[in-house]
Amino acid sequence: MSDVDSRVRRPELGASVVARGIRTNYLEAGSGPPVVLVHGSGPGVSAYANWRLTMPALAERFRVLAPDMVGFGYTERPAGLRYDTETWTDHLVGFLDALGLARVNLVGNSFGGAIALRVAARHPDRVDRLVLMGSVGVSFPITPGLDAVWGYQPSLENMRRLLDIFAYSRELVTDELAEVRYRASIQPGFHESYSAMFPAPRQRWVDALATPEEEIAALPHETLLIHGRDDQVIPMEVSLRLLRLIGNARLHVFGRCGHWTQIERGEEFNRLLVDFLDRPSARR
């Protein structure tokens, strides 16, 4: 099978670039001002799984790039790599450097929000506008939902339980989706790297993903916070705290919505995101 045939059949496989020495898989679509999407940390996650419903809408007006962060998806997993906030922040900045992206709009989901927030705080000139969805980034008591996500052990039944935690509506939690996500979680090397990231006790990893509050308060960026009111993974209070800390922030809350705002409220989410990003000052 040729590379072309493989990529047609495997939409989660995109282009690749070496970022900070790591061969990085990423998806790309559209043209215009660059928007970089940073996925969350669920088992079997990839840029495609996280952003497949978002990229087509954004690609009508933007150049959209979605990398698999190191340790996830189809990006290289170097032996002995330490998975921590600094490694992921370095990897994301390296990805921008490898593609010659001096300044981007940055969208981070959950774990990806913590990485986006850290990049914005430590490299403010690299970020135009910032979007944080159900984001980590400040310390909070770990929820049972997040503890279950990070403590996932591969089985179809365990994946079904996690999907019930992620989504508000059971209509989204089909046997087919559970099967797809379970199969993704047991790809060679996937669970080995995943289980190394957040071993118990897991409160320390919530704290490690936090950016100091004084750095958050100094952010100059226009910031959109998005949260599902019924999120069982990251409590809405986290976004409320970020709203109080970030001077130029606004918060949109979806009722009857869990952790998957971009999937559970896909059309509304896409309109919200495009409207926020597609303004003249975002195209400097």
Side-chain angles (χ1 to χ4, degrees):
M1 182 185 296
S2 71
D3 273 354
V4 171
D5 289 338
S6 173
R7 291 178 191 280
V8 167
R9 297 186 184 192
R10 299 285 298 277
E12 64 271 31
L13 297 176
S16 69
V17 68
V18 177
R20 293 291 198 269
I22 299 167
R23 177 64 61 180
T24 301
N25 179 64
Y26 71 98
L27 307 179
E28 180 171 1
S31 61
V35 179
V36 174
L37 308 175
V38 189
H39 60 72
S41 63
V45 76
S46 65
Y48 177 76
N50 215 152
W51 302 115
R52 66 191 183 280
L53 303 181
T54 307
M55 291 189 70
L58 285 180
E60 294 178 8
R61 304 189 190 187
F62 300 96
R63 180 188 179 192
V64 190
L65 303 115
D68 284 345
M69 298 301 294
V70 64
F72 298 95
Y74 298 86
T75 283
E76 180 185 13
R77 292 166 164 77
L81 184 71
R82 178 176 176 175
Y83 293 110
D84 60 20
T85 310
E86 297 309 315
T87 294
W88 287 310
T89 301
D90 244 20
H91 184 220
L92 184 54
V93 173
F95 176 74
L96 304 184
D97 291 344
L99 291 178
L101 299 168
R103 186 177 176 92
V104 301
N105 295 295
L106 200 52
V107 181
N109 178 39
S110 193
F111 151 88
I115 307 309
L117 185 63
R118 184 67 63 90
V119 169
R122 302 287 167 85
H123 306 273
D125 292 342
R126 306 298 299 270
V127 179
D128 192 343
R129 284 186 171 155
L130 181 64
V131 181
L132 305 174
M133 313 148 46
S135 182
V136 192
V138 295
S139 294
F140 62 92
I142 192 169
T143 61
L146 181 55
D147 196 53
V149 170
W150 282 350
Y152 167 79
Q153 291 298 318
S155 77
L156 187 55
E157 188 56 37
N158 285 343
M159 183 58 76
R160 285 195 187 100
R161 290 194 190 101
L162 284 194
L163 297 187
D164 279 335
I165 291 170
F166 277 122
Y168 175 80
S169 172
R170 284 203 57 84
E171 292 178 8
L172 284 175
V173 185
T174 63
D175 288 343
E176 180 183 6
L177 178 60
E179 178 74 24
V180 168
R181 290 299 296 261
Y182 166 65
R183 291 295 171 196
S185 77
I186 58 171
Q187 291 282 322
F190 277 36
H191 188 65
E192 289 81 359
S193 59
Y194 187 71
S195 63
M197 291 177 195
F198 309 110
R202 297 187 180 90
Q203 179 65 49
R204 55 185 165 153
W205 309 123
V206 175
D207 299 338
L209 284 168
T211 292
E213 290 195 356
E214 63 272 17
E215 294 185 30
I216 298 173
L219 288 174
H221 312 89
E222 287 187 74
T223 303
L224 173 63
L225 306 165
I226 301 173
H227 220 108
R229 183 193 62 199
D230 308 290
D231 192 334
Q232 297 182 63
V233 180
I234 309 298
M236 193 176 72
E237 287 71 18
V238 173
S239 283
L240 290 171
R241 284 178 64 193
L242 291 170
L243 179 66
R244 288 192 289 268
L245 286 167
I246 301 171
N248 198 2
R250 65 194 73 181
L251 170 63
H252 188 97
V253 177
F254 287 108
R256 296 181 179 177
C257 182
H259 192 57
W260 280 348
T261 54
Q262 80 278 23
I263 295 171
E264 296 178 74
R265 294 299 187 89
E267 289 186 13
E268 295 168 272
F269 172 85
N270 290 341
R271 285 197 300 270
L272 185 68
L273 197 54
V274 169
D275 288 347
F276 177 70
L277 296 175
D278 193 33
R279 297 165 60 185
S281 62
R283 298 189 175 188
R284 290 175 295 176

